[in-house]
């Protein structure tokens, strides 16, 4: 679809969705099922005046972003080198599968009790987001090694290229698209962990904290507002990443979502 | 550089692929290795390049066992070997980068650029330096591979069915381009193909291999002046002779 058409179509879909939402509120008529307009009002109030404790929405977003990005960067700093090492030296992965694979399927929420007992402050957030972001980054890097073409390796060899040359000039450029795609997914998953992470943080700022704060007060419009903001920020981060991928990998015909 | 291929034997598991292959190539000679599809020609080329170890036998370059770190070998692969993330310029530069970073070649940045420019002009790719491989045609991609190999000024140029994936017209064009470049540089070339006409059109001498396990069936001298006329009686005669030798059906 052409960009302009796509924007127009999405605007129409969004409008229809909002109208449908509004229509259902007329049927349901529950005080805990707000109208779109109530959420918009809550948004304006949170953005302009701040929450019940005076923290503005911008601050909530900023603090959550800082936590997620820290955890995400930590996940990249660990996941990429480990994935690269295990991808290049396959036995290391094959012989530790029994540890890696089960851990991968433990949801970050299940780690919360341990995180409460063992960690405090900022490190709790970083740990939980790291758990969410690490595996997409790690697994994508690991799997990407297969993408390295044997012909490219032989080409480098026949020119006399040594191991470090092959790593720097063949392996890393070959796997970059996969690694970046893994990073994009990891950032998304890390961002999705923000509510769980902030549930245990015990601090009053952050989008997750905002949702929980208003949930306790049974004020649903603010809760939905927090949810929508999480969704939209996630979308923007993803789009930003995609734009970077398109720029970096313009040698590929297209970047597939 | 003289090449001596001496009694190469290679098997993959139970399957004997190369059965005592021996032949010599004189310095500056253009030799084609011709044989049926799947007879181990690629394996032979990789052994000559030193990328694969033979079970027995040896390959000598100017009297020394082949070593791609010591000898300067250019290899044009059958499969697409261009690096898709590099431009034409970056691809042609790749071999020189390897030589500088891994083999300690003393070349300044200007000297590297000069060589890249020279190689690009030699194969006629000027104007396409900043194009990415997916933006250029199949023939041009093979020119990139040729320029990449020539930029390092190789002692020996190994070409493994480099034009196999091209359509007929592009193939004729590329064969003539290759001859044009070769007549300028007079590199020692070993050119693998299963197209008999291509072998006779290009080479000074054709080494004919049998089907598996591959043996050298014959060496045919093609003492025809270039440019060769594929319809001349002598050409047709040589082509027929090789076709008879190679017939495996």
């Amino acid at each position: 679809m052409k960009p302009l058409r796509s924007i127009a179509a999405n605007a129409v879909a969004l409008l229809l969705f909002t109208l449908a939402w509004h229509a259902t509120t007329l049927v349901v008529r529950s005080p805990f099922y707000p109208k779109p307009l109530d959420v918009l009002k809550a948004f304006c109030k949170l953005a302009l005046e701040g929450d019940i404790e005076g923290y503005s929405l911008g601050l909530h977003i900023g603090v959550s972003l800082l936590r997620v990005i820290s955890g995400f960067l930590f996940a990249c700093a660990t996941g990429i080198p480990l994935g690269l090492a295990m991808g290049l030296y396959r036995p290391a992965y094959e012989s530790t599968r029994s540890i890696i694979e089960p851990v991968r399927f433990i949801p970050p929420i299940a780690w919360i009790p341990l995180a409460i007992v063992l960690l405090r402050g900022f490190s709790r957030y970083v740990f939980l987001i790291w758990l969410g972001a690490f595996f997409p980054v790690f697994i994508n890097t690991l799997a990407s090694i297969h993408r390295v073409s044997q012909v490219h390796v032989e080409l480098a060899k026949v020119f006399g290229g040594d191991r470090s040359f092959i790593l720097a000039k063949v392996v890393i450029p070959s796997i970059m698209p996969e690694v970046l795609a893994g990073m994009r997914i990891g950032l998304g998953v890390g961002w999705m962990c923000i509510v769980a992470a902030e549930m245990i943080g015990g601090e009053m700022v952050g989008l997750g904290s905002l949702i929980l704060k208003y949930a306790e007060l049974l004020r649903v419009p603010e809760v939905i507002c927090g949810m929508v903001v999480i969704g939209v920020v996630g979308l923007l981060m993803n789009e930003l990443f995609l734009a970077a991928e398109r720029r970096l990998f313009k040698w590929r015909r297209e970047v597939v979502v | 550089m003289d090449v001596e291929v001496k009694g190469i034997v290679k098997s993959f598991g139970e399957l004997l692929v190369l059965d005592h292959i021996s032949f010599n190539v004189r310095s500056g000679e253009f030799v084609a290795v011709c044989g049926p599809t799947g007879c181990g020609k690629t394996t032979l080329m990789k052994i000559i390049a030193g990328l694969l170890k033979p079970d027995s036998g040896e390959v000598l370059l100017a009297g020394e066992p082949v070593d791609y770190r010591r000898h300067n070998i250019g290899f044009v692969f059958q499969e697409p070997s261009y690096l898709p993330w590099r431009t034409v310029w970056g691809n042609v530069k790749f071999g020189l980068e390897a030589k500088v970073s891994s083999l300690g070649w003393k070349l300044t940045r200007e000297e590297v650029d000069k060589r890249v420019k020279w190689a690009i002009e030699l194969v006629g790719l000027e104007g396409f330096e900043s194009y990415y491989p997916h933006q250029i045609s199949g023939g041009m991609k093979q020119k990139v591979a040729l320029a990449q190999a020539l930029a390092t000024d190789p002692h020996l140029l190994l070409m493994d069915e480099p034009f196999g994936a091209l359509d007929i017209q592009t193939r004729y064009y590329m064969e003539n381009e290759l001859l044009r470049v070769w007549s300028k540089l007079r590199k020692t070339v070993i050119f693998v193909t299963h197209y008999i006409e291509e072998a006779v059109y290009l080479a000074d001498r054709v080494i004919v291999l049998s089907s598996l396990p591959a043996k050298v069936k014959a060496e045919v001298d093609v003492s025809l002046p270039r440019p060769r006329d594929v319809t001349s009686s002598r050409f047709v005669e040589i082509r027929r002779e090789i076709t008879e030798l190679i017939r495996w059906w």
Side-chain angles (χ1 to χ4, degrees), chain A residues 159 165, chain B residues 95-108 112:
Chain A
F159 281 125
F165 179 84
Chain B
L96 287 167
E97 282 177 28
K99 302 283 183 195
V100 170
S101 100
S102 300
L103 298 179
W105 279 25
K106 303 258 180 294
L107 286 175
T108 63
V112 169

Side-chain angles (χ1 to χ4, degrees), chain A residues 149 151-152 154-162 165 169-170 173-174 250-253, chain B residues 46 68 77 79 81-86 94-95 97-99 101-103 132 134 148:
Chain A
S149 144
V151 179
H152 291 162
E154 287 188 333
L155 180 74
K157 266 191 187 170
V158 103
F159 281 125
D162 55 21
F165 179 84
K169 303 285 173 152
V170 175
S174 302
K250 58 172 183 271
W251 50 270
R252 293 178 122 197
R253 259 167 252 243
Chain B
K46 286 189 177 169
Y68 49 70
F77 288 85
E79 309 96 318
S81 65
Y82 59 83
L83 306 165
W85 57 88
R86 286 180 174 232
F94 182 71
E97 282 177 28
K99 302 283 183 195
S101 100
S102 300
L103 298 179
Y132 283 94
H134 77 260
Q148 183 187 58

Side-chain angles (χ1 to χ4, degrees), chain B residues 6-248:
Chain B
K6 293 167 85 174
I8 297 294
V9 177
K10 178 76 183 174
S11 44
F12 293 113
E14 293 286 286
L15 181 72
L16 180 62
V17 178
L18 303 175
D19 187 7
H20 293 89
I21 303 280
S22 299
F23 61 88
N24 294 332
V25 180
R26 288 183 302 276
S27 190
E29 194 179 17
F30 194 131
V31 165
V33 175
C34 197
T37 310
C39 78
K41 301 187 293 287
T42 297
T43 304
L44 177 63
M45 287 295 260
K46 286 189 177 169
I47 288 171
I48 295 174
L51 284 168
L52 266 179
K53 293 247 168 302
D55 298 339
S56 66
E58 59 179 350
V59 177
L60 301 179
L61 262 61
E64 285 179 55
V66 63
D67 179 353
Y68 49 70
R69 283 175 214 87
R70 185 148 29 116
H71 301 110
N72 191 3
I73 297 168
F75 201 119
V76 179
F77 288 85
Q78 185 177 4
E79 309 96 318
S81 65
Y82 59 83
L83 306 165
W85 57 88
R86 286 180 174 232
T87 59
V88 167
W89 180 275
N91 266 286
V92 175
K93 199 174 161 193
F94 182 71
L96 287 167
E97 282 177 28
K99 302 283 183 195
V100 170
S101 100
S102 300
L103 298 179
W105 279 25
K106 303 258 180 294
L107 286 175
T108 63
R109 191 175 296 235
E110 290 74 37
E111 285 170 315
V112 169
D113 285 352
K114 218 174 119 188
R115 283 207 192 200
V116 173
K117 191 165 179 287
W118 168 81
I120 284 177
E121 280 169 7
L122 184 70
V123 300
L125 278 175
E126 58 270 54
F128 291 95
E129 289 87 346
S130 59
Y131 281 58
Y132 283 94
H134 77 260
Q135 298 171 308
I136 60 175
S137 68
M140 285 163 86
K141 282 175 193 162
Q142 288 311 86
K143 281 188 169 185
V144 170
L146 182 61
Q148 183 187 58
L150 292 174
T152 63
D153 193 21
H155 302 130
L156 171 63
L157 185 59
L158 300 172
M159 305 186 79
D160 183 13
E161 298 208 36
F163 309 142
L166 304 177
D167 61 79
I168 298 283
Q169 284 90 336
T170 313
R171 172 189 287 269
Y172 285 151
Y173 166 69
M174 288 300 295
E175 285 165 8
N176 286 318
E177 285 292 286
L178 176 63
L179 284 179
R180 180 179 63 76
V181 170
W182 177 75
S183 62
K184 261 189 202 169
L185 305 175
R186 295 280 161 180
K187 296 279 175 204
T188 313
V189 179
I190 303 179
F191 186 104
V192 159
T193 180
H194 65 268
Y195 280 83
I196 297 158
E197 187 170 290
E198 185 173 50
V200 179
Y201 188 67
L202 294 173
D204 298 319
R205 199 149 50 91
V206 181
I207 312 282
V208 182
L209 297 183
S210 67
S211 52
L212 279 181
K215 293 186 175 106
V216 176
K217 229 173 177 179
E219 293 188 17
V220 179
D221 268 305
V222 189
S223 37
L224 292 171
R226 295 186 179 88
R228 290 172 184 165
D229 176 4
V230 296
T231 57
S232 74
S233 59
R234 182 73 189 119
F235 189 97
V236 173
E237 199 178 304
I238 294 171
R239 201 181 65 188
R240 189 179 304 129
E241 181 188 344
I242 295 172
T243 309
E244 287 306 318
L245 282 166
I246 230 169
R247 199 190 277 274
W248 69 94

Side-chain angles (χ1 to χ4, degrees), chain A residues 55-207:
Chain A
Y55 299 119
S56 77
L57 189 59
L59 183 70
H60 284 296
I61 296 173
V63 167
S64 284
L65 270 178
L66 179 71
R67 288 166 185 165
V68 170
I69 289 171
S70 305
F72 166 70
L73 290 179
F74 188 46
C76 294
T78 48
I80 296 172
L82 199 66
L84 194 61
M86 287 194 163
L88 291 170
Y89 186 65
R90 209 63 192 177
Y93 170 70
E94 299 295 345
S95 52
T96 52
R97 262 182 73 105
S98 59
I99 305 168
I100 292 169
E101 291 297 318
V103 171
R104 187 178 154 193
F105 291 106
I106 303 173
I109 297 174
W111 289 89
I112 285 180
L114 271 181
I116 291 176
V117 178
L118 295 174
L119 300 167
R120 53 193 67 261
F122 195 64
S123 61
R124 277 182 187 168
Y125 305 118
V126 172
F127 173 68
L128 282 169
I129 287 156
W130 173 78
L131 276 172
F134 174 80
F135 283 101
V137 175
F138 167 71
I139 296 289
N140 256 46
T141 308
L142 181 76
S144 69
I145 301 292
H146 285 293
R147 293 285 190 123
V148 179
S149 144
Q150 210 46 47
V151 179
H152 291 162
V153 173
E154 287 188 333
L155 180 74
K157 266 191 187 170
V158 103
F159 281 125
D162 55 21
R163 287 176 76 93
S164 62
F165 179 84
I166 292 172
L167 184 67
K169 303 285 173 152
V170 175
V171 175
I172 289 176
S174 302
I175 67 171
M176 272 307 278
E178 305 309 303
V179 173
L180 237 79
M183 284 167 69
R184 175 160 49 83
I185 297 162
L187 183 60
V189 176
W191 182 243
M192 283 196 273
C193 293
I194 187 68
V195 179
E198 290 181 352
M199 219 190 268
I200 57 160
E203 285 176 57
M204 284 298 136
V205 273
L207 286 170

